[in-house]
Amino acid sequence: MQTFPVPTVYEALNLVMKNFPDNISQETRVEVETLLDHCLDGLSACSEKFLTTLFIKAIRKHIGPSGTDEHIYLKKFEVPQIELFNLLIEQFPFVKKCHEIINDTILEVVGDASNIVIIDIGTGMGVQMNSLLKKLSASKTLRRVTLIGIEPFSEALDHAQSVISKVSCSFALNFIPVRSFIEEVDFEWIGVMIQRSGGDLVINESLALHHIKQQTDRHRVIKKLRGLNPKAFFLTEPNVDHYEPDFQRRFQNCYQHFYHVFQVIDQLPVDEVKRNGLKLFFGREIDDIIGGNEMDRVEKHEPAFRWIEKLLVNGFKPLNRFSKGAFNLGYGIKPEFDDFSGSLGLRFKNETVISLIHAVCDDEFLLD
Amino acid sequence: MEIYSSPVVRIEFDTTKKLLLQKWIGFASSVQFREAIDKTVEFVKGNQVKYMMSDTTEQKPVGPEESKYAASVMPQLFGGGVKAMAFVMPKNVITKLALSSFAKEKGMPDNVQYFDNVAEAETWLLKH
């Protein structure tokens, strides 16, 4: 059979995206259908085809149905939620290693304190805090820990409470669940809780602050957190600009980011169905970033330097101080401290996929 | 001589070289595309066509069903006396993908080749 150089799916997807969302015609619909047909052939074995299919899925709801339904092809890769969850926390390095690095660093910050308060923003199902509490239990000095877990979804928060209540601690643990979005939290009440507890405050947020839709609210929340005068504030955020309002640029950022994430997923020691199930999970984020309208989007990630900017103008300063215990990341991922932004990036090839920030209060900063 | 013309394709036959040329332009609807394919098959059946060239340089993508349709008529073309067929590659990347689907659909034999320009394609065709 004669062959010829076939363009990359990215070239083709880029062409499709140039017409989206404002120039949809019969011609562009045929382009989408042709590209989808190409991707569905060999979908499970080719990461780029899978990724491109997820992008097409994200825009299909805007351009209407056509000949092929990608859902039928993708459905076979659906993995039960609980398996996916375990896969993410036990195997996926961008979750597992971030938790380890941050938790080990919190341990160093806590040092030989006897009483501490932890605020965990976006506590989810309590995975990171569960593991932190177990680590803190090795402390010989700690007598009391107050953990304020902020999470908007009741089901997750109930699960977190159940998990955390089962941790066997060597100290008195007071878990205070707060069912709320962080931007709607009553910070005065939180302040009272901290005062009552009396210990040093450590704040942690993992993949939560980017859900705040507006910049003004992001600044307001960081300012309020600064007002609580924490000993340390840790942020874990994807290092990518999905806040970008220009669709074409946002698409390019998104593709670049998930292209690298998927290459790491391809290396996980799990079967093809689970690998693709995990990719499908990220498809929900792509749906939001690419297919969601500007007012409703929630996955509005920002690169680390922007979070640092917000920290700086609200009275924090970044520290190049992370526990190096979990720095053996595997999968070709390298830890890289960025002096310019003041963040620790987990870098795969030429993409810093996720960034960790260790910030402290800038004592020279004058609070309002 | 011109065999068929529409806003999306011009089909010509060079009686001396026995060469049938399809020159595609822009986006063809399903109906327009299939009509051009049918006209081509019809002409090949009734005339002594030895060579075919499909110049897709300016062609916009065709859908998967149209690619399959075009691939399905290939046996009729070769059965009708066509010895070799050349494609001039499209500029549009998605049309290239469509062409690769077309090629994959039938598993193209050695007497079907792909070229970057018309001159190269014609030189190769007339050697057969």
Side-chain angles (χ1 to χ4, degrees):
Chain A
M1 187 176 91
Q2 298 302 316
T3 57
F4 52 84
V6 177
T8 65
V9 286
Y10 175 72
E11 282 177 83
L13 183 63
N14 198 27
L15 187 70
V16 164
M17 290 300 187
K18 276 181 182 156
N19 290 312
F20 188 81
D22 300 323
N23 297 311
I24 300 300
S25 63
Q26 185 54 30
E27 183 181 330
T28 52
R29 286 191 180 93
V30 169
E31 285 179 348
V32 170
E33 206 177 320
T34 303
L35 178 56
L36 179 61
D37 187 68
H38 177 75
C39 290
L40 292 178
D41 182 19
L43 175 74
S44 62
C46 176
S47 218
E48 275 194 87
K49 284 185 173 181
F50 204 100
L51 180 57
T52 299
T53 302
L54 294 177
F55 275 89
I56 293 174
K57 177 175 171 283
I59 63 168
R60 281 289 279 278
K61 58 187 170 190
H62 297 279
I63 60 177
S66 58
T68 314
D69 184 356
E70 74 283 351
H71 290 90
I72 295 166
Y73 291 82
L74 293 173
K75 201 170 170 53
K76 62 183 172 193
F77 300 115
E78 282 176 4
V79 172
Q81 202 68 20
I82 187 68
E83 280 184 44
L84 207 56
F85 180 69
N86 289 335
L87 187 58
L88 271 171
I89 58 172
E90 287 165 13
Q91 307 260 17
F92 188 56
F94 294 121
V95 173
K96 183 174 185 264
K97 290 293 178 178
C98 287
H99 284 181
E100 284 178 23
I101 294 171
I102 294 290
N103 284 354
D104 288 350
T105 311
I106 291 176
L107 229 59
E108 290 177 8
V109 168
V110 168
D112 56 4
S114 60
N115 179 18
I116 59 163
V117 182
I118 302 166
I119 296 180
D120 188 39
I121 302 167
T123 211
M125 295 169 93
V127 173
Q128 187 178 1
M129 289 302 107
N130 179 32
S131 128
L132 175 64
L133 291 171
K134 283 177 184 166
K135 285 188 175 187
L136 286 171
S137 283
S139 164
K140 290 188 171 60
T141 56
L142 211 48
R143 295 286 169 264
R144 186 176 170 196
V145 173
T146 304
L147 172 57
I148 302 172
I150 302 169
E151 167 62 43
F153 301 106
S154 301
E155 204 178 320
L157 196 59
D158 291 347
H159 188 272
Q161 186 158 19
S162 157
V163 164
I164 286 165
S165 68
K166 287 177 192 145
V167 180
S168 163
C169 298
S170 58
F171 42 78
L173 173 66
N174 179 22
F175 178 58
I176 304 173
V178 179
R179 191 176 61 79
S180 172
F181 289 99
I182 182 64
E183 59 271 38
E184 292 165 7
V185 158
D186 179 350
F187 282 95
E188 280 184 31
W189 179 79
I190 295 275
V192 171
M193 291 295 113
I194 294 165
Q195 260 187 342
R196 266 189 211 162
S197 305
D200 284 339
L201 170 65
V202 173
I203 303 175
N204 177 63
E205 80 84 20
S206 178
L207 312 177
L209 290 191
H210 67 255
H211 291 141
I212 304 173
K213 290 181 186 175
Q214 302 297 329
Q215 285 294 348
T216 47
D217 286 336
R218 291 181 182 196
H219 277 279
R220 188 177 54 78
V221 165
I222 291 172
K223 193 173 181 178
K224 290 284 184 190
L225 294 173
R226 172 62 180 86
L228 300 174
N229 206 26
K231 190 173 182 190
F233 178 21
F234 294 96
L235 295 88
T236 303
E237 285 292 332
N239 183 60
V240 57
D241 191 357
H242 292 149
Y243 201 94
E244 172 64 60
D246 179 86
F247 178 79
Q248 189 62 23
R249 281 202 288 266
R250 190 165 74 245
F251 152 66
Q252 283 164 351
N253 295 344
C254 188
Y255 192 92
Q256 174 81 354
H257 179 76
F258 285 108
Y259 172 79
H260 288 89
V261 169
F262 280 20
Q263 283 193 29
V264 171
I265 293 174
D266 283 337
Q267 299 178 63
L268 298 180
V270 294
D271 63 36
E272 193 176 271
V273 174
K274 281 189 179 159
R275 272 200 295 274
N276 286 328
L278 197 49
K279 291 174 187 174
L280 206 54
F281 168 81
F282 286 110
R284 290 177 214 162
E285 295 208 358
I286 295 171
D287 263 346
D288 180 89
I289 297 158
I290 297 299
N293 72 52
E294 197 54 32
M295 296 307 288
D296 297 334
R297 291 199 301 115
V298 291
E299 302 298 345
K300 296 174 105 173
H301 309 121
E302 287 191 277
F305 77 89
R306 294 250 196 82
W307 291 110
I308 298 283
E309 279 172 3
K310 283 186 252 298
L311 290 168
L312 289 172
V313 299
N314 289 294
F316 284 104
K317 61 182 180 187
L319 273 190
N320 178 8
R321 205 170 297 156
F322 290 93
S323 170
K324 293 187 169 55
F327 270 20
N328 183 13
L329 303 167
Y331 304 105
I333 305 166
K334 305 262 184 279
E336 196 173 83
F337 190 80
D338 181 348
D339 284 318
F340 173 71
S341 73
S343 63
L344 175 70
L346 303 197
R347 194 169 173 82
F348 179 71
K349 294 187 176 168
N350 60 350
E351 177 81 356
T352 299
V353 173
I354 200 158
S355 292
L356 311 179
I357 300 167
H358 177 180
V360 293
C361 292
D362 180 357
D363 294 332
E364 290 170 20
F365 187 86
L366 295 173
L367 291 174
D368 293 345
Chain B
M1 69 173 173
E2 184 177 287
I3 304 302
Y4 175 75
S5 179
S6 81
V8 299
V9 69
R10 185 178 157 86
I11 304 174
E12 292 174 357
F13 184 56
D14 184 326
T15 49
T16 314
K17 294 174 183 166
K18 306 285 185 205
L19 171 65
L20 186 76
L21 171 69
Q22 294 172 323
K23 169 79 180 161
W24 297 93
I25 303 145
F27 174 68
S29 67
S30 174
V31 172
Q32 287 172 319
F33 182 79
R34 289 179 189 227
E35 191 169 276
I37 297 295
D38 292 346
K39 290 286 178 191
T40 303
V41 173
E42 193 183 308
F43 186 80
V44 166
K45 280 179 179 169
N47 295 274
Q48 293 208 326
V49 179
K50 279 176 76 176
Y51 312 111
M52 271 191 67
M53 188 193 305
S54 185
D55 181 359
T56 65
T57 312
E58 303 297 335
Q59 188 181 25
K60 291 293 180 71
V62 293
E65 292 308 312
E66 274 50 70
S67 285
K68 283 179 192 159
Y69 185 75
S72 75
V73 304
M74 293 297 277
Q76 293 182 60
L77 296 177
F78 288 108
V82 173
K83 288 191 161 139
M85 182 169 183
F87 286 92
V88 181
M89 296 294 288
K91 288 184 202 160
N92 182 294
V93 293
I94 297 176
T95 315
K96 273 187 194 163
L97 290 183
L99 197 55
S100 78
S101 299
F102 165 83
K104 202 170 177 182
E105 185 70 25
K106 280 290 166 185
M108 289 301 155
D110 288 345
N111 58 346
V112 179
Q113 287 268 18
Y114 304 88
F115 298 91
D116 289 332
N117 58 63
V118 171
E120 278 179 26
E122 189 170 324
T123 305
W124 175 79
L125 275 174
L126 298 179
K127 280 182 191 164
H128 280 76

